[in-house]
Amino acid sequence: MSTDSLLVVSAHAGDFVWRAGGALALAAARGQKSTIACLTYGERGESARAWRDGKSLDEIKAIRRDEAEQAASILGADVRFFDAGDYPLLESPEVIDGLVRLFREVVPTVVLTHTLTDPYNGDHPAAARMALQARVLAQAVGYQAPGEPLGAPPVFMFEPHQPEMCDFKPEVLLDITEVFDTKRKAMESLVAQQHLWDYYTDLATRRGVQLKRNAGPNLGLEAHTMGEAYMRVYPQVTKELA
Amino acid sequence: MSTDSLLVVSAHAGDFVWRAGGALALAAARGQKSTIACLTYGERGESARAWRDGKSLDEIKAIRRDEAEQAASILGADVRFFDAGDYPLLESPEVIDGLVRLFREVVPTVVLTHTLTDPYNGDHPAAARMALQARVLAQAVGYQAPGEPLGAPPVFMFEPHQPEMCDFKPEVLLDITEVFDTKRKAMESLVAQQHLWDYYTDLATRRGVQLKRNAGPNLGLEAHTMGEAYMRVYPQVTKELA
Amino acid sequence: MSTDSLLVVSAHAGDFVWRAGGALALAAARGQKSTIACLTYGERGESARAWRDGKSLDEIKAIRRDEAEQAASILGADVRFFDAGDYPLLESPEVIDGLVRLFREVVPTVVLTHTLTDPYNGDHPAAARMALQARVLAQAVGYQAPGEPLGAPPVFMFEPHQPEMCDFKPEVLLDITEVFDTKRKAMESLVAQQHLWDYYTDLATRRGVQLKRNAGPNLGLEAHTMGEAYMRVYPQVTKELA
Amino acid sequence: MSTDSLLVVSAHAGDFVWRAGGALALAAARGQKSTIACLTYGERGESARAWRDGKSLDEIKAIRRDEAEQAASILGADVRFFDAGDYPLLESPEVIDGLVRLFREVVPTVVLTHTLTDPYNGDHPAAARMALQARVLAQAVGYQAPGEPLGAPPVFMFEPHQPEMCDFKPEVLLDITEVFDTKRKAMESLVAQQHLWDYYTDLATRRGVQLKRNAGPNLGLEAHTMGEAYMRVYPQVTKELA
Amino acid sequence: MSTDSLLVVSAHAGDFVWRAGGALALAAARGQKSTIACLTYGERGESARAWRDGKSLDEIKAIRRDEAEQAASILGADVRFFDAGDYPLLESPEVIDGLVRLFREVVPTVVLTHTLTDPYNGDHPAAARMALQARVLAQAVGYQAPGEPLGAPPVFMFEPHQPEMCDFKPEVLLDITEVFDTKRKAMESLVAQQHLWDYYTDLATRRGVQLKRNAGPNLGLEAHTMGEAYMRVYPQVTKELA
Amino acid sequence: MSTDSLLVVSAHAGDFVWRAGGALALAAARGQKSTIACLTYGERGESARAWRDGKSLDEIKAIRRDEAEQAASILGADVRFFDAGDYPLLESPEVIDGLVRLFREVVPTVVLTHTLTDPYNGDHPAAARMALQARVLAQAVGYQAPGEPLGAPPVFMFEPHQPEMCDFKPEVLLDITEVFDTKRKAMESLVAQQHLWDYYTDLATRRGVQLKRNAGPNLGLEAHTMGEAYMRVYPQVTKELA
């Protein structure tokens, strides 16, 4: 078992699947531990069909929770539900403190979250702001919470639905070819959003094409390379330029 | 001997030492081949003392050439002089074609050059524009020059003298601690610019502090970590987020 | 009567007159319904003269309310007062919920509000942030409020007092020539701010000059074209480039 | 026959098909005249297969010319070949003057061209810079060329291959659903680039999804809306916000 | 005694020393009055050593308060402690109102504070946002607080620890050569952060080099010019370009 | 006579009047020497009326030259004509060398020129690029031209006709109230552009309003303050924040 550990802070129940499912599956394939902080079930903002079907709020939360747990299981990750309420997801000291405690508990070596801009969904930037703030607080020895002060794990922002409108520019193209089948299976566990299965498969194809375009020919990439795109919040630290 | 290969496109004779000496020394330490395309000797713009001493243009070029060769030798790199004339360095199809041929010859797996903005020195962006254009042309099978079409080596822009005024933001912090002594020796071979030796040592210290600040504590960094900062032109391609 | 409908979210009582009076008058001239959400009376921040005259807070609110109603009437619009308190206007779930309900009630086909940046007046961005958030929430079937889920009406940000300092760039120049007299009359109903009547007339002239400069000569524009400038939050959707 | 007229300035023979084929087909469907200024045949940079097949430069130019003429014909447009040489396409007073003359001849009411940034292909920005410069020169009565001074036709920049890397943000989403079959047919006439047919069909689907997301539900859009994305160089001039 | 007056809004006890100590010492040297609004003691976020030494929260606050008072005294400034709590420093109407009252009391002619972006420390932007908001509120005659409405003092943002990551670009280089010894003494009164004494001395050297590089040779600058860098929030108002 | 000296690099004959007339008149009022490098007469791009009146190229140049000399005389400045040809003004080593020689001759302590972006007129950025490049070359002792190496005079970019479209943000607001009558007289000597007299008077009024808004009340500004707006290329160097 690797000592590396991935933490994903996701505003709604589905976000971590569409946007970071590949990274999670790769971590599992490497024997790493992954944890998903699922701040809300997406019960109001991302469950239109269930509302139209006349389900109650509690029923919808339960459905979304089941789906998220199933997807996380396929991706080899634990999921923690904050049930902080969506649409709008409000920033609060309580949620941030909960995240600090989670940071100190799982000691992530890599953190994934949303972009800081999204004119189509204010919950996404709210989740990102809380994730970033919690990470900084968790670093301070003076912040009162169990565990040791956190190091400085790199933070990657995953790709939003309309990237250009969210100032999203692919800075890191992650090759998820070998685990794409797993990601597809996880997507298919979100049965209420079937129209997104192909949409995000097409996106993975498109990012794969760009990945090949930006890689040297000697990388031995497969014909049908699949990719996920990320931005960095902090500079990359390395011992070799590559 | 590694098959990886580094190509640095440098406007003047000293630029590759101050700005990319650590990357070059690291490449040598790994057994990689490095080549420096030195577009000019910096004979007009970066040789104030020699002009004040009454040297002729040819004498100054010879002095600067010697210094650059000595520094390159310390850094374990080959250097090719284009003698394209500085202050101003003019973009020309001839220089670009020469760079295309060099790209096809050395087949770099990594390329380093200047930033595209520098309000203090127009030669730096001119060199960067030609390096980037040559790289793209070298990729085209239809471009008539010896050798095979180039792949897509990543390009890193090294740090200018006044970074904030050049829109420079450290995106990659390279740990050069283990080779800093070599870089210092290379800097000291540029005897006419002694005032810069300490300046760039201080800069390496400062970038080292930031490097440690952005790395997790479990990286085992040394107390006196030294760094060089770079920006990326193209997205990073990877199989693991880190 | 057109089924189109305009909604203006205005921080203070005067803002919709100076900045969007032309758009409102044009809507009225086309037989469209317009509604103004006036979040505050501008009782503290934009009523300097009344305070210097020794008026009480309630008196000032009443004065500003009368002026705003008169201006709205001239512009053919309904006005709803939120009385949320200015200087500072605080973002709150209650005001946002009130806006969601108004969105669901008037079902706007076009939305106008402030810019998201204004270093001279924090109330303006606060109003814009709440307007944008309410519009997104009103779209969700799961958000509990009377009425049907909202569609996706385009949002335009009107011109702030110091445009360049607010990152304002004219993206849409609206020809208000035919209704400028009406806008001037509405401006004159704000008697306490007489110094702004000519200021905003000059601005309309200036934007009119730019409008002609950016239009083909075959548009048949009048010699004294008057204009208002706007930015878009979301992409324009169209069946013809023009 | 409409008096409106579309002018597309395209760096290579294929660009206008992939990037603006929908706009061209829509113009034809409205009975408008379209002209394509094809600055080069893409003989070096976009004809890899032909070079690998051992074709000569002249043969390649002829092949590409045929393909471009066939595509233009399907799209209902005239095409003018400048044969200015690609990889690199060099800015020159002669090409610019040729474009000025074309502007004065066809008197476009809308202009389409490339983005001003493209780190993957320097010919694209070079074409855009020349198009923009020629448009301004053609407006000056003092510029010596046949015809009347040009008005101020709006300019739209079409979508590059890697939009986020080219600072491309969809500002205008054009509904090309009704003519997509025509665009597909035009794409298929570019037989050497078969791998791009599906790529650009997928892109049209993706832009169509965004188009629906940004349009009100009362627009009556079809289930399989197809789109093309554009940016504006100059502000939109209008008599109604929409 | 000059009627000019400097107000520094500092998130933590040490910030005003490292970042604005030169400006404060210069003001004192000119006989001006300076006031520091110290929003927190930095008790959680900037006191790692004291926590590791097992000190209690109250002890740490007292230590930091003493240090800050000593440093302020050396710099010739008054310091007001808000004790608003750090890590996180939360924006609140109470703190903002306290700042408004301080603005009205000291009537600053120049204001200094943090940058609006800092991915390493959210307290810094929070302090800056409150300082800017308070300054605007203090200008309004309708804002109920003792004193006269404020004028429009210029605001300068001092340099953060990792300037490039905070979108910091030196817009004003302040020559602090003549008072650098005083600044160094003030830094040395922050005994727990000894590792920063040399760091900020090196930074002052570096900004001094840039200062000389951007000044004409006829300014008579000393060999070892020391500098501090600032950004402006509002445009400079002047009667002479220089 | 002051030893300070102003150099304005102007693309066309009229630019320095509309955009920098106030700065020139202020310099004259202070007894400073000013020089205008007028790169072209604006014979093609800014002389529409003369072309429509059937004048020849030589006649137009002569008219514009007379106007420019008269305006410069009113503003107390020398003017040097480069006659480099407008629409388009081409960057060339010859013009740049001419500017280097002028820099070395007049030894300016302040430099004014155009912005680097202007989508309505490519000659303006071309002039700015050449001015900036010449200033840097003139600093190099190794650049062969008469005179001493230049220091580092600050550079200000004056306001373009459509500021927001040229990325122009007022960074410096210059109070030109006391010399506005002189500027108006200089504008009136450009008889063919009478429509711009009031336009630029209105602009001065508008910038004056902003100037008062950004200045403290204790500056003793006049009721009808007139202003000109500028941007800085390099950081301000100062011994006092103000």
Side-chain angles (χ1 to χ4, degrees):
Chain A
M1 190 61 155
S2 164
T3 61
D4 284 344
S5 154
L6 194 65
L7 176 62
V8 181
V9 180
S10 178
H12 310 108
D15 294 336
F16 68 87
V17 186
W18 312 116
R19 310 188 199 296
L24 284 162
L26 279 174
R30 281 191 303 263
Q32 293 174 8
K33 183 174 172 301
S34 292
T35 308
I36 297 150
C38 196
L39 300 189
T40 81
Y41 298 108
E43 61 270 16
R44 296 187 194 281
E46 321 234 314
S47 309
R49 183 181 298 187
W51 285 101
R52 290 212 190 85
D53 290 350
K55 296 276 196 294
S56 73
L57 180 61
D58 284 347
E59 287 172 320
I60 292 170
K61 284 187 178 181
I63 292 168
R64 299 286 292 171
R65 181 182 180 115
D66 282 353
E67 286 180 3
E69 281 179 337
Q70 198 175 336
S73 165
I74 293 169
L75 297 168
D78 280 341
V79 59
R80 308 284 180 92
F81 297 100
F82 281 63
D83 195 12
D86 77 335
Y87 262 60
L89 168 58
L90 298 174
E91 279 181 81
S92 77
E94 292 72 30
V95 175
I96 292 169
D97 185 65
L99 284 169
V100 172
R101 287 163 189 275
L102 188 59
F103 268 103
R104 290 253 178 107
E105 176 193 341
V106 306
V107 192
T109 50
V110 171
V111 179
L112 310 184
T113 191
H114 295 268
T115 50
L116 288 165
T117 301
D118 189 337
Y120 296 98
N121 194 320
D123 292 2
H124 295 159
R129 286 192 303 265
M130 289 194 281
L132 292 176
Q133 199 173 349
R135 174 184 167 280
V136 168
L137 296 178
Q139 294 174 333
V141 62
Y143 190 95
Q144 301 301 81
E148 290 300 304
L150 188 70
V155 183
F156 296 87
M157 298 187 294
F158 40 65
E159 178 166 357
H161 201 62
Q162 299 211 30
E164 299 96 344
M165 298 302 296
C166 303
D167 300 332
F168 184 85
K169 183 175 172 174
E171 293 178 346
V172 182
L173 291 166
L174 180 67
D175 186 343
I176 62 167
T177 312
E178 64 174 277
V179 297
F180 185 75
D181 288 349
T182 306
K183 176 170 182 175
R184 175 81 193 197
K185 238 173 269 156
M187 293 198 289
E188 291 177 1
S189 69
L190 304 178
V191 291
Q193 294 168 290
Q194 191 167 346
H195 61 292
L196 293 178
W197 301 353
D198 284 352
Y199 187 86
Y200 278 96
T201 300
D202 287 349
L203 179 63
T205 302
R206 176 179 168 81
R207 293 305 179 198
V209 169
Q210 294 175 347
L211 194 155
K212 279 186 288 185
R213 183 70 181 74
N214 284 290
N218 52 354
L219 283 197
L221 296 174
E222 297 183 34
H224 293 288
T225 300
M226 307 298 270
E228 275 177 359
Y230 293 89
M231 294 186 78
R232 284 181 185 275
V233 176
Y234 298 99
Q236 179 188 4
V237 170
T238 185
K239 287 183 176 282
E240 178 170 1
L241 299 176
Chain B
M1 190 60 154
S2 164
T3 62
D4 284 343
S5 153
L6 194 66
L7 176 63
V8 181
V9 179
S10 177
H12 310 108
D15 294 335
F16 68 89
V17 185
W18 313 115
R19 310 187 200 297
L24 285 162
L26 279 174
R30 283 191 304 264
Q32 293 173 9
K33 182 176 172 300
S34 293
T35 309
I36 297 150
C38 196
L39 301 188
T40 80
Y41 298 110
E43 61 269 17
R44 296 186 193 283
E46 322 232 315
S47 309
R49 183 180 298 188
W51 286 101
R52 289 211 191 86
D53 290 349
K55 297 277 196 292
S56 73
L57 181 61
D58 284 348
E59 286 171 320
I60 293 171
K61 284 186 177 182
I63 292 168
R64 299 286 292 170
R65 181 184 181 115
D66 281 354
E67 286 180 0
E69 281 179 336
Q70 197 175 338
S73 164
I74 293 168
L75 296 167
D78 279 342
V79 57
R80 309 285 181 90
F81 297 100
F82 280 64
D83 195 10
D86 77 335
Y87 261 58
L89 168 58
L90 298 174
E91 280 181 80
S92 76
E94 292 72 30
V95 175
I96 292 170
D97 186 66
L99 284 169
V100 172
R101 288 163 189 273
L102 187 60
F103 268 103
R104 292 251 178 110
E105 175 193 340
V106 305
V107 192
T109 51
V110 171
V111 179
L112 310 184
T113 191
H114 296 268
T115 51
L116 288 164
T117 301
D118 190 337
Y120 298 97
N121 194 321
D123 291 3
H124 296 160
R129 286 193 302 266
M130 289 194 281
L132 292 176
Q133 198 172 351
R135 176 184 166 279
V136 168
L137 296 178
Q139 294 174 332
V141 61
Y143 190 96
Q144 301 299 83
E148 290 300 304
L150 189 69
V155 183
F156 296 87
M157 299 186 294
F158 40 66
E159 178 166 356
H161 200 62
Q162 300 211 28
E164 300 96 343
M165 298 303 297
C166 302
D167 301 331
F168 184 86
K169 183 175 172 174
E171 292 178 346
V172 182
L173 291 168
L174 179 67
D175 186 343
I176 62 168
T177 313
E178 64 173 277
V179 297
F180 185 75
D181 288 350
T182 307
K183 177 171 181 175
R184 175 82 193 197
K185 239 174 265 154
M187 293 198 289
E188 291 176 1
S189 69
L190 304 177
V191 292
Q193 293 167 291
Q194 191 167 345
H195 60 293
L196 293 178
W197 301 352
D198 284 351
Y199 187 86
Y200 278 96
T201 299
D202 287 347
L203 179 62
T205 301
R206 176 180 168 81
R207 293 305 180 198
V209 169
Q210 294 175 346
L211 195 155
K212 280 186 288 185
R213 183 71 182 75
N214 284 289
N218 52 354
L219 284 196
L221 296 175
E222 298 183 33
H224 293 290
T225 301
M226 307 297 271
E228 275 177 358
Y230 293 88
M231 295 185 78
R232 285 182 184 275
V233 177
Y234 298 99
Q236 178 188 5
V237 171
T238 184
K239 287 182 176 282
E240 179 171 0
L241 299 177
Chain C
M1 190 63 155
S2 164
T3 61
D4 284 345
S5 154
L6 194 67
L7 177 62
V8 181
V9 180
S10 178
H12 309 108
D15 294 336
F16 67 88
V17 185
W18 313 115
R19 309 188 199 295
L24 284 163
L26 279 174
R30 282 191 304 264
Q32 293 174 9
K33 183 173 171 302
S34 292
T35 308
I36 297 150
C38 196
L39 300 188
T40 81
Y41 299 109
E43 61 270 14
R44 295 188 194 280
E46 321 232 315
S47 308
R49 183 181 299 188
W51 285 101
R52 290 210 191 86
D53 290 350
K55 296 275 196 292
S56 72
L57 180 61
D58 283 347
E59 286 171 321
I60 293 170
K61 283 187 177 182
I63 292 168
R64 298 287 292 171
R65 182 183 179 116
D66 282 353
E67 286 180 2
E69 282 180 335
Q70 197 175 337
S73 165
I74 292 168
L75 296 169
D78 280 342
V79 58
R80 308 284 181 92
F81 297 100
F82 281 63
D83 195 11
D86 77 335
Y87 261 61
L89 168 58
L90 297 174
E91 280 182 80
S92 76
E94 292 72 31
V95 174
I96 292 169
D97 185 65
L99 284 169
V100 172
R101 288 163 189 273
L102 187 60
F103 268 104
R104 290 253 178 109
E105 176 193 339
V106 306
V107 192
T109 50
V110 170
V111 179
L112 311 184
T113 191
H114 295 267
T115 50
L116 288 164
T117 302
D118 189 338
Y120 297 98
N121 194 321
D123 292 1
H124 295 159
R129 286 193 303 266
M130 289 194 280
L132 292 176
Q133 198 173 350
R135 175 183 166 279
V136 167
L137 296 178
Q139 293 175 333
V141 61
Y143 190 95
Q144 300 302 81
E148 291 300 304
L150 189 71
V155 183
F156 296 87
M157 298 187 293
F158 40 66
E159 179 166 354
H161 200 62
Q162 300 211 29
E164 299 95 344
M165 297 303 295
C166 302
D167 300 332
F168 184 85
K169 183 175 172 175
E171 293 179 346
V172 182
L173 292 167
L174 179 67
D175 186 343
I176 61 167
T177 312
E178 63 173 279
V179 297
F180 185 75
D181 288 349
T182 307
K183 176 170 181 175
R184 174 82 194 197
K185 239 173 268 155
M187 293 198 289
E188 291 177 359
S189 68
L190 304 177
V191 291
Q193 292 167 294
Q194 191 167 346
H195 62 292
L196 292 178
W197 301 352
D198 284 352
Y199 187 85
Y200 278 97
T201 299
D202 287 348
L203 179 62
T205 301
R206 177 179 167 81
R207 292 306 179 198
V209 168
Q210 292 174 347
L211 194 155
K212 280 186 288 185
R213 183 70 183 75
N214 284 290
N218 52 355
L219 283 197
L221 295 175
E222 297 183 34
H224 293 290
T225 301
M226 307 297 271
E228 275 177 357
Y230 293 89
M231 294 186 78
R232 285 180 185 276
V233 176
Y234 298 98
Q236 180 188 5
V237 170
T238 185
K239 288 181 175 284
E240 179 170 0
L241 299 177
Chain D
M1 190 60 155
S2 164
T3 60
D4 284 344
S5 154
L6 195 65
L7 176 62
V8 181
V9 180
S10 179
H12 310 108
D15 294 335
F16 67 89
V17 185
W18 312 115
R19 309 187 201 296
L24 284 162
L26 279 175
R30 281 190 305 263
Q32 293 173 9
K33 182 175 174 300
S34 292
T35 308
I36 297 150
C38 195
L39 300 189
T40 81
Y41 298 109
E43 61 269 17
R44 296 188 194 279
E46 321 233 315
S47 309
R49 183 180 300 188
W51 286 101
R52 289 210 192 85
D53 290 349
K55 297 277 196 291
S56 73
L57 180 62
D58 284 347
E59 285 172 321
I60 292 170
K61 283 186 178 182
I63 291 168
R64 298 285 292 170
R65 180 182 181 116
D66 282 353
E67 286 180 1
E69 281 179 336
Q70 198 174 336
S73 163
I74 292 168
L75 296 168
D78 280 342
V79 58
R80 308 285 181 89
F81 297 101
F82 280 65
D83 195 11
D86 78 334
Y87 261 59
L89 168 59
L90 299 174
E91 280 182 80
S92 76
E94 292 72 31
V95 175
I96 292 170
D97 185 65
L99 283 169
V100 172
R101 288 163 189 273
L102 188 59
F103 268 102
R104 291 253 178 109
E105 176 193 339
V106 305
V107 192
T109 51
V110 172
V111 178
L112 310 184
T113 191
H114 295 267
T115 50
L116 288 164
T117 301
D118 190 338
Y120 297 97
N121 194 322
D123 292 2
H124 295 159
R129 286 193 302 267
M130 288 195 280
L132 291 176
Q133 198 173 351
R135 175 183 165 280
V136 167
L137 297 178
Q139 293 175 331
V141 62
Y143 190 94
Q144 301 300 81
E148 291 300 305
L150 189 69
V155 182
F156 296 87
M157 298 187 294
F158 40 65
E159 179 165 356
H161 200 62
Q162 300 211 29
E164 299 97 343
M165 298 303 296
C166 302
D167 300 332
F168 184 85
K169 183 175 172 173
E171 293 179 344
V172 182
L173 291 167
L174 180 67
D175 186 344
I176 62 167
T177 312
E178 64 173 279
V179 297
F180 185 75
D181 287 349
T182 306
K183 177 170 180 176
R184 175 81 194 197
K185 237 173 270 154
M187 293 198 290
E188 291 176 1
S189 69
L190 304 178
V191 292
Q193 292 166 292
Q194 191 167 345
H195 61 292
L196 292 178
W197 302 351
D198 284 352
Y199 187 86
Y200 278 97
T201 299
D202 287 348
L203 179 62
T205 301
R206 176 179 169 80
R207 292 306 179 197
V209 169
Q210 293 175 346
L211 194 155
K212 280 186 288 186
R213 183 71 182 75
N214 285 289
N218 53 353
L219 283 197
L221 296 175
E222 299 182 32
H224 293 290
T225 302
M226 306 297 271
E228 274 176 357
Y230 293 89
M231 293 186 79
R232 285 181 184 275
V233 177
Y234 298 99
Q236 180 189 4
V237 170
T238 185
K239 288 182 175 283
E240 180 171 358
L241 299 177
Chain E
M1 190 62 154
S2 164
T3 61
D4 284 344
S5 154
L6 194 66
L7 176 62
V8 181
V9 180
S10 177
H12 310 108
D15 294 335
F16 67 88
V17 185
W18 313 115
R19 309 187 199 296
L24 284 162
L26 279 175
R30 281 191 304 264
Q32 294 174 8
K33 182 174 172 300
S34 293
T35 308
I36 297 150
C38 195
L39 300 189
T40 82
Y41 299 109
E43 61 271 15
R44 295 187 195 281
E46 322 232 315
S47 309
R49 183 180 299 188
W51 286 101
R52 289 210 192 85
D53 290 349
K55 296 277 195 293
S56 72
L57 180 61
D58 284 347
E59 286 171 321
I60 293 170
K61 284 186 179 181
I63 292 168
R64 298 288 290 173
R65 180 183 181 116
D66 282 352
E67 286 179 2
E69 281 179 337
Q70 198 175 336
S73 164
I74 293 168
L75 296 168
D78 279 342
V79 58
R80 309 284 181 92
F81 297 101
F82 280 63
D83 194 12
D86 78 334
Y87 261 60
L89 168 58
L90 298 174
E91 280 181 80
S92 76
E94 292 72 30
V95 175
I96 293 170
D97 185 66
L99 284 169
V100 171
R101 288 164 190 273
L102 188 59
F103 269 103
R104 290 253 179 109
E105 176 193 339
V106 306
V107 192
T109 49
V110 171
V111 179
L112 310 185
T113 191
H114 295 268
T115 51
L116 288 164
T117 301
D118 189 338
Y120 297 97
N121 194 319
D123 292 1
H124 295 159
R129 287 193 302 266
M130 289 195 280
L132 292 176
Q133 198 173 349
R135 175 183 167 280
V136 167
L137 296 178
Q139 294 175 333
V141 61
Y143 190 95
Q144 300 302 82
E148 291 299 304
L150 189 70
V155 183
F156 296 86
M157 298 187 293
F158 40 65
E159 178 165 355
H161 201 62
Q162 299 211 30
E164 300 95 345
M165 298 303 295
C166 302
D167 301 332
F168 184 86
K169 184 175 171 175
E171 293 178 346
V172 182
L173 291 167
L174 179 68
D175 186 343
I176 61 166
T177 312
E178 64 174 278
V179 296
F180 185 75
D181 288 349
T182 307
K183 176 171 182 176
R184 175 82 194 197
K185 239 173 268 156
M187 294 197 290
E188 291 177 1
S189 68
L190 305 177
V191 291
Q193 294 167 292
Q194 190 167 347
H195 60 293
L196 292 178
W197 301 352
D198 284 352
Y199 187 84
Y200 279 97
T201 300
D202 286 349
L203 178 63
T205 301
R206 178 179 166 82
R207 293 306 179 196
V209 169
Q210 293 174 347
L211 195 155
K212 279 185 287 185
R213 183 71 181 73
N214 284 289
N218 52 354
L219 283 197
L221 295 175
E222 297 184 33
H224 293 289
T225 300
M226 307 298 270
E228 275 177 357
Y230 293 87
M231 294 186 78
R232 285 181 184 275
V233 177
Y234 298 99
Q236 179 189 6
V237 170
T238 185
K239 287 181 175 285
E240 178 170 1
L241 299 176
Chain F
M1 191 60 157
S2 163
T3 61
D4 284 344
S5 153
L6 195 66
L7 176 62
V8 182
V9 179
S10 178
H12 310 108
D15 294 335
F16 68 88
V17 185
W18 313 115
R19 310 188 199 296
L24 285 162
L26 279 174
R30 282 191 303 263
Q32 292 173 9
K33 182 173 172 300
S34 292
T35 309
I36 297 151
C38 195
L39 300 188
T40 80
Y41 299 110
E43 61 270 16
R44 295 188 195 280
E46 321 233 315
S47 309
R49 183 180 298 187
W51 285 101
R52 289 211 191 85
D53 290 348
K55 297 278 195 290
S56 73
L57 181 61
D58 284 348
E59 286 171 321
I60 292 170
K61 284 186 178 183
I63 292 168
R64 298 286 291 171
R65 181 184 180 115
D66 282 354
E67 286 180 2
E69 282 180 334
Q70 198 175 336
S73 163
I74 292 168
L75 296 168
D78 280 341
V79 57
R80 307 285 181 91
F81 297 101
F82 280 64
D83 195 12
D86 78 335
Y87 262 58
L89 168 58
L90 298 173
E91 279 182 81
S92 76
E94 292 74 29
V95 174
I96 291 170
D97 185 66
L99 283 169
V100 172
R101 289 164 189 272
L102 188 59
F103 269 102
R104 292 251 178 110
E105 175 193 341
V106 305
V107 192
T109 51
V110 172
V111 178
L112 310 184
T113 191
H114 295 268
T115 51
L116 288 164
T117 302
D118 190 337
Y120 297 98
N121 195 320
D123 292 2
H124 295 160
R129 286 193 301 266
M130 290 194 280
L132 291 177
Q133 198 172 351
R135 175 182 166 281
V136 168
L137 296 178
Q139 294 175 331
V141 62
Y143 190 95
Q144 302 300 82
E148 291 300 305
L150 189 69
V155 182
F156 297 86
M157 299 188 292
F158 41 66
E159 179 165 354
H161 201 61
Q162 300 211 30
E164 299 97 344
M165 299 301 297
C166 302
D167 301 331
F168 183 85
K169 183 174 173 173
E171 293 179 345
V172 182
L173 291 167
L174 180 67
D175 186 344
I176 61 167
T177 312
E178 64 174 277
V179 298
F180 185 75
D181 288 349
T182 306
K183 177 171 181 175
R184 174 82 194 197
K185 238 174 266 155
M187 294 199 289
E188 291 177 1
S189 69
L190 304 177
V191 292
Q193 293 167 292
Q194 190 167 347
H195 61 292
L196 292 178
W197 301 352
D198 283 352
Y199 187 86
Y200 278 96
T201 300
D202 287 348
L203 178 62
T205 301
R206 177 180 168 81
R207 292 307 179 197
V209 169
Q210 293 175 347
L211 193 155
K212 280 185 288 185
R213 183 71 182 75
N214 284 290
N218 52 355
L219 282 197
L221 295 175
E222 298 183 32
H224 293 289
T225 301
M226 308 297 272
E228 275 176 357
Y230 292 87
M231 294 186 80
R232 286 182 184 275
V233 176
Y234 298 98
Q236 179 189 4
V237 170
T238 185
K239 287 182 176 281
E240 179 170 359
L241 299 177

